[in-house]
Amino acid sequence: MITAETLPQCLYNLNDMGICTIDIDGVLKTGCITQADITTDVSLELTDDILTALNNNVGNYRRFKWQHYDGKGITFTKDIIGRGKEEIKFYNKRKELSATAQNRRFLDLLANREQVENYFSDKTRIEISLNTQSQIRNSLQIDNTYIPTFFAAGANPILAQFDRIFNNSTIDSSIDMDNYDTWAMSKILELYNGNLQLIEQDVRRLYKFRSGVNSRMAKFEQLKQMQQTPQRNIIQEVRKLLC
């Protein structure tokens, strides 16, 4: 992981390779960050319950898509026209370290390999990718992307991204649970395994106007939230690890 403390050594190592000569002081003072992966490691095991809670509590299910991350975790992504994408990854860093031949060769070079592997044994890495300088400035709340400014930023972009993606709103409990309409929606949620995107695809065929679809889907979202209090508690616990 590259930090303000490790970056100078990385540059010294490049110079030692003899391929080129880098003005290390100049780079550290005037170099700019153009892309960045921001990460944090938290004490968390990615269990099926946690993965299910993350899947079921995406706030804007129409925009954020999820996919498996190389068999080691999960990624939530929203494409932004002209601005790359917004995403957050949750993955088992310990598994990733030994997933490829290149990573295994790297581990073989380490004098403290066991210590490194033990550190990640009970950790989940949470990562966001900032693909443009505009994203970097906005996410870190800084005026420029010079290296000193970048590493001095005090914002918590991973927490901000988490809050944008996952539903932390207060549950509206005004829905009447004791009527046929709610019972029918509960059965539909069960049939579709809570997948609101698939439900909406079929609901669209039943309404002439978009307003009818939106009204019905709002009820599905509300009911799903009420049914998922334990999962929402999991979301809150994960969020606390990022604060």
Side-chain angles (χ1 to χ4, degrees), residues 1-48:
M1 183 185 299
I2 297 177
T3 66
E5 291 72 31
T6 62
L7 178 57
Q9 186 60 54
C10 292
L11 297 177
Y12 282 119
N13 291 345
L14 287 174
N15 272 351
D16 289 343
M17 294 174 67
I19 299 174
C20 60
T21 300
I22 299 173
D23 178 4
I24 295 176
D25 289 338
V27 169
L28 293 176
K29 290 178 181 178
T30 63
C32 289
I33 305 296
T34 59
Q35 292 183 329
D37 291 334
I38 311 295
T39 68
T40 186
D41 298 319
V42 298
S43 296
L44 177 73
E45 181 183 357
L46 274 182
T47 63
D48 288 341

Side-chain angles (χ1 to χ4, degrees), residues 43-213:
S43 296
L44 177 73
E45 181 183 357
L46 274 182
T47 63
D48 288 341
D49 285 344
I50 290 176
L51 291 173
T52 299
L54 292 170
N55 276 335
N56 287 337
N57 285 275
V58 174
N60 190 338
Y61 67 89
R62 296 184 182 96
R63 301 296 297 277
F64 284 96
K65 315 298 182 185
W66 75 269
Q67 63 183 22
H68 292 294
Y69 176 64
D70 293 341
K72 299 174 288 295
I74 194 167
T75 301
F76 296 88
T77 305
K78 179 179 76 170
D79 291 327
I80 307 172
I81 297 175
R83 290 186 292 155
K85 62 179 64 177
E86 288 185 13
E87 70 176 11
I88 190 168
K89 296 176 184 175
F90 301 80
Y91 60 96
N92 185 319
K93 183 63 178 178
R94 173 65 184 83
K95 286 185 178 180
E96 188 196 50
L97 282 173
S98 57
T100 66
Q102 181 178 357
N103 285 354
R104 290 192 292 273
R105 286 195 297 270
F106 168 75
L107 288 174
D108 289 339
L109 295 174
L110 298 179
N112 61 338
R113 171 175 179 162
E114 184 176 354
Q115 181 181 353
V116 171
E117 291 180 317
N118 288 341
Y119 169 81
F120 288 112
S121 63
D122 61 346
K123 296 288 195 304
T124 289
R125 174 156 289 186
I126 303 176
E127 176 181 315
I128 66 171
S129 296
L130 305 177
N131 300 308
T132 67
Q133 288 184 298
S134 175
Q135 279 187 326
I136 293 171
R137 290 194 300 269
N138 292 336
S139 296
L140 298 185
Q141 300 173 20
I142 54 180
D143 295 328
N144 59 71
T145 64
Y146 288 119
I147 289 174
T149 305
F150 176 86
F151 283 116
N156 188 339
I158 297 179
L159 177 61
Q161 185 80 307
F162 185 92
D163 285 344
R164 277 194 295 271
I165 295 176
F166 298 104
N167 191 352
N168 289 302
S169 60
T170 302
I171 296 176
D172 180 359
S173 58
S174 61
I175 190 170
D176 184 0
M177 297 296 292
D178 297 319
N179 61 39
Y180 178 83
D181 192 55
T182 303
W183 175 82
M185 287 195 299
S186 295
K187 292 301 181 182
I188 292 171
L189 280 169
E190 182 179 345
L191 178 65
Y192 284 78
N193 294 317
N195 191 322
L196 295 176
Q197 286 180 302
L198 293 181
I199 293 174
E200 184 172 5
Q201 288 176 12
D202 287 340
V203 165
R204 285 176 186 164
R205 298 185 290 105
L206 306 176
Y207 288 89
K208 184 176 181 180
F209 299 106
R210 181 71 191 184
S211 59
V213 176

